[in-house]
Amino acid sequence: MMAPDQFHSLIAGLTASVAGRALDAALASDLNREHGPGSRTYEALFQACRDGVAEGWMCEREAGGIRYGRVIKPTPATQGYSVDVVDMDDCIGPQHTHPNGEIDLVMPLEGDARFDGAPAGWVVYGPGTAHRPSVSGGRALVLYLLPQGAIEFSRT
């Protein structure tokens, strides 16, 4: 089992590797190549998220069938990234905008779960993008890295 402080250290190592990078398709490609499914980083993060959910320090809130929670607030140790983790099972989440972009790690738990159509791995949304996050084909954990913790939910 991974403790929250160990998780924080794992995330700090990852965010150090993306610090200063543009949130774009090139970053997604690099993350999938270097830290994608089967890599040490991916497997460690996936196991840490499963452990955190089981231990109750991740995804401690629930709304509309989605379990979620902010695990790490933005700090200098994480290069200003916050970390949220959601547990979604064949559902669509609330519409939101990423003022500074969003980096997502998709970790299927059941079935052929896909996040916004993407399989296991990394998805990157650039600054100013918006979506209604969806998981189809099963259940997945999704880890969100948000620069400066910035996210704006629509009121509708």
Side-chain angles (χ1 to χ4, degrees):
M1 295 293 192
M2 183 173 286
D5 60 331
Q6 293 171 306
F7 180 73
H8 197 281
S9 294
L10 183 61
I11 289 294
L14 177 68
T15 57
S17 75
V18 300
R21 298 273 314 263
L23 274 63
D24 58 15
L27 177 59
S29 178
D30 290 348
L31 283 168
N32 278 305
R33 185 180 63 256
E34 297 167 18
H35 305 291
S39 73
R40 185 178 197 164
T41 303
Y42 179 91
E43 298 307 324
L45 286 168
F46 197 176
Q47 188 60 54
C49 290
R50 285 189 298 251
D51 291 350
V53 170
E55 294 170 7
W57 56 269
M58 272 189 198
C59 300
E60 72 278 6
R61 294 181 177 90
E62 190 274 329
I66 299 170
R67 294 180 59 203
Y68 66 96
R70 177 149 293 178
V71 183
I72 298 173
K73 294 180 180 180
T75 67
T78 61
Q79 308 297 314
Y81 282 92
S82 65
V83 178
D84 294 78
V85 178
V86 298
D87 182 343
M88 299 174 69
D89 189 355
D90 269 320
C91 63
I92 299 173
Q95 172 80 24
H96 64 268
T97 302
H98 321 114
N100 304 321
E102 177 179 275
I103 301 171
D104 303 323
L105 177 59
V106 181
M107 301 167 282
L109 291 168
E110 298 170 1
D112 183 29
R114 292 177 172 264
F115 174 74
D116 288 355
W122 296 91
V123 177
V124 176
Y125 291 97
T129 57
H131 69 140
R132 288 195 68 196
S134 65
V135 169
S136 59
R139 181 175 161 221
L141 293 173
V142 182
L143 181 148
Y144 297 92
L145 296 171
L146 295 163
Q148 290 79 49
I151 189 168
E152 296 173 0
F153 288 94
S154 301
R155 294 190 185 267
T156 58

Coordinates of all heavy atoms in Angstrom, one line a residue, residues 33-84:
R33 N 5.0 7.4 -24.5 CA 6.2 6.7 -24.8 C 7.0 6.4 -23.6 O 7.5 5.3 -23.4 CB 7.0 7.4 -25.9 CG 8.2 6.6 -26.4 CD 9.1 7.4 -27.4 NE 9.7 8.6 -26.8 CZ 9.2 9.8 -27.1 NH1 8.2 10.0 -27.9 NH2 9.8 10.9 -26.5
E34 N 7.2 7.4 -22.7 CA 8.1 7.3 -21.6 C 7.4 6.7 -20.3 O 8.0 6.1 -19.5 CB 8.7 8.6 -21.3 CG 9.6 9.1 -22.4 CD 10.0 10.6 -22.2 OE1 9.9 11.1 -21.1 OE2 10.4 11.2 -23.2
H35 N 6.1 7.0 -20.2 CA 5.4 6.7 -18.9 C 4.0 6.0 -19.2 O 3.1 6.1 -18.4 CB 5.2 8.0 -18.1 CG 6.4 8.7 -17.7 ND1 7.4 8.2 -16.9 CD2 6.9 9.9 -18.2 CE1 8.4 9.1 -16.8 NE2 8.1 10.1 -17.6
G36 N 3.9 5.4 -20.4 CA 2.6 4.8 -20.7 C 2.4 3.4 -20.1 O 3.2 3.0 -19.3
P37 N 1.3 2.8 -20.5 CA 0.9 1.5 -19.9 C 2.1 0.5 -20.0 O 2.8 0.5 -21.1 CB -0.2 1.1 -20.8 CG -0.9 2.3 -21.2 CD 0.2 3.3 -21.4
G38 N 2.4 -0.2 -19.0 CA 3.5 -1.1 -18.9 C 4.8 -0.5 -18.4 O 5.7 -1.3 -18.0
S39 N 4.9 0.8 -18.3 CA 6.1 1.4 -17.8 C 6.0 1.4 -16.3 O 5.0 1.2 -15.7 CB 6.1 2.9 -18.3 OG 5.2 3.7 -17.6
R40 N 7.2 1.6 -15.7 CA 7.3 1.6 -14.2 C 6.4 2.7 -13.6 O 5.7 2.5 -12.6 CB 8.7 1.8 -13.9 CG 9.0 1.7 -12.4 CD 10.5 1.9 -12.2 NE 10.8 1.4 -10.9 CZ 12.0 1.1 -10.4 NH1 13.0 1.2 -11.3 NH2 12.2 0.7 -9.2
T41 N 6.5 3.9 -14.3 CA 5.7 5.1 -13.8 C 4.2 4.8 -13.8 O 3.5 5.0 -12.8 CB 6.0 6.3 -14.6 OG1 7.4 6.6 -14.5 CG2 5.2 7.5 -14.0
Y42 N 3.7 4.3 -15.0 CA 2.3 4.0 -15.1 C 1.8 3.0 -14.1 O 0.8 3.2 -13.4 CB 2.0 3.5 -16.5 CG 0.5 3.2 -16.8 CD1 -0.3 4.1 -17.3 CD2 0.0 1.9 -16.5 CE1 -1.7 3.9 -17.5 CE2 -1.3 1.6 -16.7 CZ -2.2 2.6 -17.2 OH -3.5 2.3 -17.4
E43 N 2.6 1.9 -14.0 CA 2.2 0.8 -13.0 C 2.2 1.3 -11.6 O 1.3 1.0 -10.8 CB 3.0 -0.4 -13.3 CG 2.9 -1.0 -14.6 CD 1.5 -1.3 -15.1 OE1 0.6 -1.7 -14.2 OE2 1.2 -1.2 -16.3
A44 N 3.2 2.1 -11.2 CA 3.3 2.7 -9.9 C 2.1 3.6 -9.6 O 1.5 3.6 -8.5 CB 4.6 3.4 -9.7
L45 N 1.8 4.5 -10.5 CA 0.6 5.4 -10.4 C -0.7 4.7 -10.3 O -1.5 5.0 -9.5 CB 0.6 6.5 -11.5 CG 1.7 7.5 -11.4 CD1 1.7 8.3 -12.7 CD2 1.4 8.5 -10.2
F46 N -0.8 3.7 -11.2 CA -2.1 2.9 -11.2 C -2.3 2.2 -9.8 O -3.3 2.2 -9.2 CB -2.1 1.9 -12.3 CG -3.4 1.3 -12.7 CD1 -3.5 0.5 -13.8 CD2 -4.6 1.6 -12.0 CE1 -4.7 0.0 -14.2 CE2 -5.8 1.1 -12.4 CZ -5.8 0.2 -13.5
Q47 N -1.2 1.5 -9.4 CA -1.3 0.8 -8.1 C -1.6 1.8 -6.9 O -2.4 1.5 -6.1 CB -0.1 0.0 -7.8 CG -0.2 -0.9 -6.6 CD -1.3 -1.9 -6.7 OE1 -1.4 -2.7 -7.7 NE2 -2.2 -2.0 -5.8
A48 N -0.9 2.9 -7.0 CA -1.1 3.9 -5.9 C -2.5 4.4 -5.9 O -3.1 4.6 -4.8 CB -0.1 5.1 -6.1
C49 N -3.1 4.6 -7.1 CA -4.5 5.1 -7.1 C -5.5 4.0 -6.6 O -6.4 4.3 -5.9 CB -4.9 5.5 -8.5 SG -4.1 7.1 -9.0
R50 N -5.2 2.7 -7.0 CA -6.1 1.6 -6.5 C -6.0 1.6 -5.0 O -7.0 1.4 -4.3 CB -5.7 0.3 -7.2 CG -6.1 0.2 -8.6 CD -5.9 -1.2 -9.1 NE -4.5 -1.6 -9.2 CZ -3.8 -1.8 -10.2 NH1 -4.3 -1.6 -11.4 NH2 -2.5 -2.1 -10.2
D51 N -4.7 1.7 -4.5 CA -4.5 1.6 -3.0 C -5.2 2.8 -2.3 O -5.9 2.6 -1.3 CB -3.0 1.6 -2.7 CG -2.3 0.4 -3.1 OD1 -3.0 -0.6 -3.4 OD2 -1.1 0.4 -3.0
G52 N -5.0 4.0 -2.9 CA -5.6 5.2 -2.3 C -7.1 5.1 -2.2 O -7.7 5.6 -1.3
V53 N -7.8 4.6 -3.3 CA -9.2 4.5 -3.3 C -9.6 3.4 -2.2 O -10.5 3.7 -1.4 CB -9.7 4.1 -4.7 CG1 -11.2 3.7 -4.6 CG2 -9.5 5.2 -5.7
A54 N -8.9 2.3 -2.2 CA -9.3 1.3 -1.2 C -9.1 1.7 0.2 O -9.8 1.4 1.1 CB -8.4 0.0 -1.5
E55 N -8.1 2.6 0.4 CA -7.8 3.1 1.8 C -8.6 4.3 2.1 O -8.7 4.7 3.3 CB -6.3 3.4 1.9 CG -5.4 2.2 1.8 CD -3.9 2.6 1.7 OE1 -3.6 3.8 1.8 OE2 -3.1 1.7 1.5
G56 N -9.3 4.9 1.2 CA -10.2 6.0 1.4 C -9.6 7.4 1.4 O -10.3 8.4 1.7
W57 N -8.4 7.5 1.0 CA -7.8 8.9 0.9 C -7.9 9.4 -0.5 O -7.4 10.5 -0.8 CB -6.4 9.0 1.5 CG -5.4 8.0 1.0 CD1 -5.1 6.8 1.5 CD2 -4.4 8.3 -0.1 NE1 -4.0 6.2 0.8 CE2 -3.6 7.1 -0.2 CE3 -4.2 9.3 -0.9 CZ2 -2.6 7.0 -1.1 CZ3 -3.2 9.2 -1.9 CH2 -2.4 8.1 -2.0
M58 N -8.4 8.6 -1.5 CA -8.6 9.1 -2.8 C -10.1 8.8 -3.1 O -10.7 7.9 -2.6 CB -7.8 8.3 -3.8 CG -6.5 8.9 -4.1 SD -5.7 8.0 -5.5 CE -4.0 8.5 -5.2
C59 N -10.7 9.7 -4.0 CA -12.1 9.6 -4.4 C -13.0 9.5 -3.2 O -13.9 8.7 -3.2 CB -12.2 8.4 -5.3 SG -11.2 8.4 -6.8
E60 N -12.8 10.3 -2.2 CA -13.6 10.3 -1.0 C -15.0 11.0 -1.1 O -15.8 10.8 -0.3 CB -12.8 10.9 0.2 CG -12.6 12.4 0.2 CD -11.5 12.8 -0.7 OE1 -10.8 12.1 -1.5 OE2 -11.2 14.1 -0.7
R61 N -15.2 11.7 -2.2 CA -16.5 12.3 -2.5 C -17.2 11.6 -3.6 O -16.6 10.9 -4.4 CB -16.2 13.8 -2.9 CG -15.6 14.6 -1.8 CD -15.4 16.1 -2.3 NE -14.9 16.9 -1.2 CZ -13.6 17.1 -1.0 NH1 -12.7 16.5 -1.7 NH2 -13.2 17.9 0.0
E62 N -18.5 11.9 -3.6 CA -19.3 11.2 -4.7 C -20.5 12.2 -5.1 O -21.1 12.8 -4.2 CB -19.9 9.9 -4.2 CG -20.6 9.1 -5.2 CD -22.0 9.4 -5.5 OE1 -22.7 9.8 -4.6 OE2 -22.5 9.2 -6.7
A63 N -20.7 12.3 -6.4 CA -21.8 13.1 -6.9 C -22.1 12.5 -8.3 O -21.2 12.3 -9.1 CB -21.4 14.5 -7.0
G64 N -23.4 12.3 -8.5 CA -23.9 11.8 -9.8 C -23.2 10.5 -10.3 O -23.0 10.3 -11.5
G65 N -22.9 9.6 -9.3 CA -22.3 8.3 -9.7 C -20.8 8.4 -9.9 O -20.2 7.4 -10.3
I66 N -20.2 9.6 -9.7 CA -18.8 9.7 -9.9 C -18.1 9.9 -8.5 O -18.5 10.8 -7.8 CB -18.5 10.9 -10.8 CG1 -19.1 10.7 -12.2 CG2 -16.9 11.1 -10.9 CD1 -19.0 11.9 -13.1
R67 N -17.1 9.1 -8.3 CA -16.3 9.3 -7.1 C -15.1 10.1 -7.4 O -14.5 9.9 -8.5 CB -15.9 8.0 -6.5 CG -17.1 7.2 -6.0 CD -16.7 5.8 -5.4 NE -15.8 6.0 -4.2 CZ -15.0 5.1 -3.8 NH1 -14.9 3.9 -4.4 NH2 -14.2 5.4 -2.8
Y68 N -14.8 11.1 -6.6 CA -13.7 12.0 -7.0 C -13.0 12.7 -5.7 O -13.6 12.5 -4.6 CB -14.3 13.1 -7.9 CG -15.2 14.0 -7.2 CD1 -14.8 15.2 -6.6 CD2 -16.6 13.7 -7.0 CE1 -15.7 16.1 -5.9 CE2 -17.5 14.5 -6.3 CZ -17.1 15.7 -5.8 OH -17.9 16.5 -5.1
G69 N -12.0 13.4 -6.0 CA -11.3 14.1 -4.9 C -10.0 14.7 -5.3 O -9.3 14.2 -6.2
R70 N -9.7 15.9 -4.8 CA -8.4 16.5 -5.0 C -7.4 15.9 -4.0 O -7.6 15.9 -2.8 CB -8.5 18.0 -4.8 CG -7.1 18.6 -4.9 CD -7.1 20.0 -5.5 NE -7.5 20.0 -6.9 CZ -7.6 21.1 -7.6 NH1 -7.4 22.3 -7.1 NH2 -8.1 21.1 -8.9
V71 N -6.4 15.3 -4.5 CA -5.4 14.5 -3.7 C -4.3 15.4 -3.3 O -3.7 15.3 -2.2 CB -4.9 13.3 -4.4 CG1 -4.0 12.5 -3.6 CG2 -6.1 12.4 -4.9
I72 N -3.9 16.3 -4.2 CA -2.7 17.2 -4.0 C -3.1 18.6 -4.5 O -3.5 18.7 -5.6 CB -1.5 16.7 -4.7 CG1 -1.0 15.3 -4.2 CG2 -0.3 17.7 -4.5 CD1 0.1 14.7 -5.0
K73 N -2.9 19.6 -3.6 CA -3.1 21.0 -4.1 C -1.8 21.4 -4.8 O -0.7 20.8 -4.6 CB -3.3 21.9 -2.9 CG -4.7 21.6 -2.2 CD -4.9 22.4 -1.0 CE -6.2 22.1 -0.4 NZ -6.6 22.9 0.8
P74 N -1.9 22.4 -5.6 CA -0.7 22.9 -6.4 C 0.3 23.4 -5.4 O 0.0 24.2 -4.5 CB -1.2 23.9 -7.3 CG -2.6 24.3 -6.8 CD -3.1 23.2 -6.0
T75 N 1.6 23.0 -5.5 CA 2.7 23.4 -4.7 C 3.9 23.5 -5.5 O 4.0 22.9 -6.6 CB 2.9 22.5 -3.5 OG1 3.4 21.2 -4.1 CG2 1.7 22.2 -2.7
P76 N 4.9 24.2 -5.0 CA 6.2 24.2 -5.8 C 6.8 22.8 -5.9 O 7.4 22.5 -7.0 CB 7.1 25.1 -4.9 CG 6.2 26.0 -4.2 CD 5.0 25.1 -3.9
A77 N 6.6 21.9 -5.0 CA 7.1 20.6 -5.1 C 6.5 19.8 -6.3 O 7.2 18.9 -6.8 CB 6.8 19.8 -3.8
T78 N 5.3 20.2 -6.7 CA 4.7 19.5 -7.9 C 4.7 20.5 -9.1 O 3.8 20.3 -10.0 CB 3.2 19.1 -7.6 OG1 2.5 20.3 -7.2 CG2 3.2 18.1 -6.5
Q79 N 5.6 21.4 -9.1 CA 5.7 22.4 -10.2 C 4.4 23.2 -10.4 O 4.1 23.5 -11.6 CB 6.1 21.7 -11.5 CG 7.3 20.8 -11.4 CD 8.6 21.6 -11.0 OE1 8.8 22.7 -11.6 NE2 9.3 21.2 -10.0
G80 N 3.6 23.3 -9.4 CA 2.3 24.1 -9.5 C 1.2 23.3 -10.0 O 0.1 23.8 -10.2
Y81 N 1.3 22.0 -10.1 CA 0.2 21.1 -10.5 C -0.6 20.6 -9.3 O 0.0 20.3 -8.3 CB 0.7 19.9 -11.3 CG 1.1 20.1 -12.7 CD1 2.4 20.5 -13.0 CD2 0.2 20.0 -13.8 CE1 2.8 20.7 -14.4 CE2 0.6 20.3 -15.1 CZ 1.9 20.6 -15.4 OH 2.3 20.8 -16.7
S82 N -1.9 20.6 -9.5 CA -2.7 19.9 -8.5 C -3.0 18.5 -9.1 O -2.8 18.2 -10.3 CB -4.0 20.6 -8.3 OG -4.8 20.6 -9.5
V83 N -3.5 17.6 -8.2 CA -3.8 16.2 -8.7 C -5.2 15.9 -8.2 O -5.5 16.0 -7.0 CB -2.8 15.2 -8.1 CG1 -3.2 13.8 -8.6 CG2 -1.4 15.5 -8.6
D84 N -6.1 15.6 -9.1 CA -7.4 15.1 -8.8 C -7.5 13.7 -9.3 O -6.9 13.4 -10.3 CB -8.5 15.9 -9.4 CG -8.5 17.3 -8.9 OD1 -7.7 18.1 -9.3 OD2 -9.4 17.6 -8.1

